[in-house]
Amino acid sequence: MKQEMYAKREGFSSSIGVIAAVLGSAVGLGNIWKFPYVTGANGGAAFILVYLLCVALVGLPVMLSELLIGRHTKANAVGAFKALQPRRPWFLVGGAGVLSAFLIMAFYTTVAGWVYAYIFKAAGGMLVSTKPEDTSLAFKTLISGVAEPLFWQMFVLIVIGAIIMAGVTKGIERVTKLLMPLLFLLLLIIDIRSLTLPGAGVGLSFLFKPDFSKITVSVILAALGLAFFKLSVGMGAMITYGSYVDKNENLPKMAIKVALADTLVSLMAGIAIFPAVFAFGFKPDAGPKLLFIIIPTVFNSMPLGRLFMVLFFLLTAIAATGAMLSLLEVPIAYLTEQYQWTRRKATLLTILGIGLLGSTATLSNSLFAKVTVFGKTFFDFFDFATSNVLLPLGGIFIALFVGWQWNHTKVKLEMSNGGQLTNERLADAFIFLVKFIVPVAIALVLLAGLNIIHF
Ligand code: PHE
């Protein structure tokens, strides 16, 4: 019965398409907007080191776990756990993932809206100053409005809804495959400009000379949360994408490649931002506005700056769009497969829900500025609750599932494509990680970072 139900699923059509789609999910606002500001807020180089550890020892194993579960079951985040463990409540992990997708989309579409708006502002010559006061004011005016940021958020939702309705292979694959290399190239250009600014060295040492006294438990939790958010793991996006991946794909290799490429993009974004932060006298801990106040000053200090700035925000918008497609795919695969909704109905209703919830995040800087949940604005609450709580929690259970529930012979068979690849040693190391290290490490960081236990 199940077999038949999933038999007709669409999938990614080529190996390069798969990598592009998975990388398209990983690379997004997380690299270009979040990585720099969270790094800036947590003290720079030492934070980056902790972050790299989190990616390698926690994020990567969880990513592989999800891809394996997804490809093995060929099902959505909830259906996958139901297929493997029909009699136990593991499917709740998938359910929490669907919830996380909604909450992330709620604030992600706010920021994506700002990026879309900046394409037009840059093109229209509205961002031409290099003075910190001017770029800060331009950003503040946008986000503290009501109609304008709401309009852009809804615009974003309509764009991704249209792509999603075009289907998996045709929509997602085509859009992401083309544009990743272009983003990379543009980041390289900005890096060169930023590095040749007078005083760039201070920014570089902020990024690469660690000061370990800055590491606290909440800094470690921030790094862990960022690793989850960055790699799109802990909420079933990689289960869902894994379900579209062909049996012959080398999953461990793909996961490693994606994590490396993704980290490179983040570091390049950091190199684009921090030398300029110090060269122009901004503060590294400016928070979520960092990207939007720094990038215009960098471009306005170089020839053809306006053209490049338009391109930059355009490519950032496209990267954000690739990430949002994978976020949306989680509830949509769930609704179409578990409840037999049509793709159209699932897309429209999901987008409507996100629009309603997301508008509270967008209005966090205006109408709802004083409304708080657990002491945070809606925007900050959605962000914190997902990155720093729900995704790590999801990660614990996904790792526990592969480490303790799933038969190890089956895990190894899935990992080696039924014995075609020789990666037994790697598989043993992976199983050891997800069995012990990953769940314990996440649990400790989570409990300490949330102040539930003290060392
Ligand atoms: N990884 C994406 C980014 O960095 C965000 C994301 C999180 C996408 C979770 C899918 C799932 O922008």
Side-chain angles (χ1 to χ4, degrees):
M1 226 305 269
K2 277 264 146 61
Q3 233 32 0
E4 264 166 45
M5 220 165 85
Y6 299 132
K8 284 206 305 275
R9 310 174 92 240
E10 267 191 273
F12 295 123
S13 63
S14 65
S15 189
I16 178 90
V18 176
I19 288 255
V22 175
L23 194 59
S25 166
V27 173
L29 295 174
N31 309 68
I32 293 169
W33 164 72
K34 204 171 196 201
F35 177 86
Y37 99 69
V38 178
T39 298
N42 287 288
F47 170 85
I48 294 183
L49 281 180
V50 180
Y51 170 76
L52 295 177
L53 276 177
C54 291
V55 167
L57 293 178
V58 179
L60 200 52
V62 176
M63 181 182 227
L64 182 56
S65 303
E66 287 196 35
L67 290 169
L68 292 169
I69 294 173
R71 187 176 65 173
H72 186 81
T73 55
K74 293 253 169 288
N76 62 85
V78 174
F81 287 104
K82 284 198 167 158
L84 286 169
Q85 267 295 357
R87 272 176 291 280
R88 298 257 180 89
W90 285 99
F91 66 89
L92 292 175
V93 179
V98 174
L99 173 71
S100 300
F102 267 96
L103 297 177
I104 294 177
M105 278 299 280
F107 74 92
Y108 208 96
T109 50
T110 301
V111 183
W114 299 341
V115 172
Y116 277 48
Y118 262 54
I119 302 172
F120 292 89
K121 288 189 190 295
M126 287 143 87
L127 304 166
V128 289
S129 172
T130 51
K131 284 209 210 92
E133 310 84 72
D134 295 343
T135 53
S136 297
L137 183 68
F139 182 66
K140 197 159 175 260
T141 310
L142 167 66
I143 67 163
S144 57
V146 173
E148 194 183 0
L150 274 183
F151 166 81
W152 287 112
Q153 181 176 37
M154 300 310 142
F155 186 81
V156 166
L157 281 167
I158 290 168
V159 169
I160 51 173
I163 301 176
I164 282 271
M165 279 196 272
V168 179
T169 21
K170 284 186 243 99
I172 301 181
E173 211 175 305
R174 196 179 300 162
V175 177
T176 44
K177 189 155 57 185
L178 283 169
L179 295 152
M180 288 293 119
L182 217 55
L183 176 67
F184 194 80
L185 204 69
L186 198 71
L187 273 176
L188 205 63
I189 296 175
I190 314 173
D191 282 356
I192 294 170
R193 165 72 276 205
S194 199
L195 286 173
T196 50
L197 285 167
V202 190
L204 270 186
S205 52
F206 180 79
L207 269 181
F208 297 111
K209 239 172 97 197
D211 168 1
F212 290 103
S213 69
K214 295 203 169 129
I215 296 184
T216 62
V217 278
S218 62
V219 168
I220 300 176
L221 179 59
L224 184 73
L226 183 61
F228 274 95
F229 184 85
K230 269 304 326 114
L231 297 178
S232 312
V233 299
M235 41 129 340
M238 289 297 143
I239 295 181
T240 311
Y241 268 25
S243 75
Y244 303 128
V245 174
D246 186 84
K247 282 285 170 222
N248 295 319
E249 203 65 48
N250 187 336
L251 289 181
K253 207 165 162 191
M254 180 170 95
I256 293 172
K257 274 194 205 159
V258 167
L260 281 175
D262 178 71
T263 305
L264 184 63
V265 176
S266 296
L267 291 175
M268 285 176 74
I271 296 173
I273 303 274
F274 286 103
V277 166
F278 292 95
F280 287 100
F282 286 94
K283 293 254 179 309
D285 58 355
K289 65 173 187 270
L290 190 66
L291 173 78
F292 296 92
I293 58 177
I294 298 297
I295 285 297
T297 55
V298 177
F299 282 116
N300 289 329
S301 68
M302 71 191 263
L304 295 179
R306 188 155 143 197
L307 177 71
F308 280 130
M309 181 162 31
V310 175
L311 251 177
F312 173 80
F313 284 113
L314 189 66
L315 289 168
T316 303
I318 291 164
T321 305
M324 287 187 286
L325 293 177
S326 69
L327 280 158
L328 260 192
E329 192 63 24
V330 174
I332 287 169
Y334 166 66
L335 293 168
T336 52
E337 292 176 10
Q338 302 301 119
Y339 300 98
Q340 276 78 47
W341 285 18
T342 61
R343 207 166 163 85
R344 195 184 158 80
K345 176 175 166 193
T347 307
L348 289 175
L349 287 176
T350 303
I351 283 188
L352 189 69
I354 293 169
L356 288 173
L357 189 68
S359 58
T360 64
T362 300
L363 298 177
S364 289
N365 299 298
S366 51
L367 295 183
F368 296 155
K370 297 219 160 55
V371 186
T372 55
V373 197
F374 291 110
K376 296 187 188 304
T377 63
F378 284 116
F379 183 102
D380 292 338
F381 174 72
F382 297 147
D383 184 358
F384 186 87
T386 49
S387 278
N388 292 11
V389 183
L390 285 171
L391 301 187
L393 264 183
I396 294 184
F397 286 105
I398 289 163
L400 288 176
F401 184 83
V402 174
W404 297 89
Q405 281 291 313
W406 206 4
N407 181 312
H408 289 174
T409 319
K410 290 196 177 143
V411 174
K412 286 184 178 174
L413 273 176
E414 190 60 46
M415 200 165 148
S416 63
N417 300 350
Q420 283 177 36
L421 307 169
T422 36
N423 53 15
E424 177 96 20
R425 293 259 291 282
L426 188 67
D428 284 330
F430 164 68
I431 290 172
F432 178 77
L433 275 176
V434 291
K435 208 167 169 173
F436 303 108
I437 309 292
V438 172
V440 172
I442 303 175
L444 286 179
V445 173
L446 201 54
L447 292 171
L450 297 175
N451 260 322
I452 301 169
I453 55 169
H454 301 272
F455 290 111

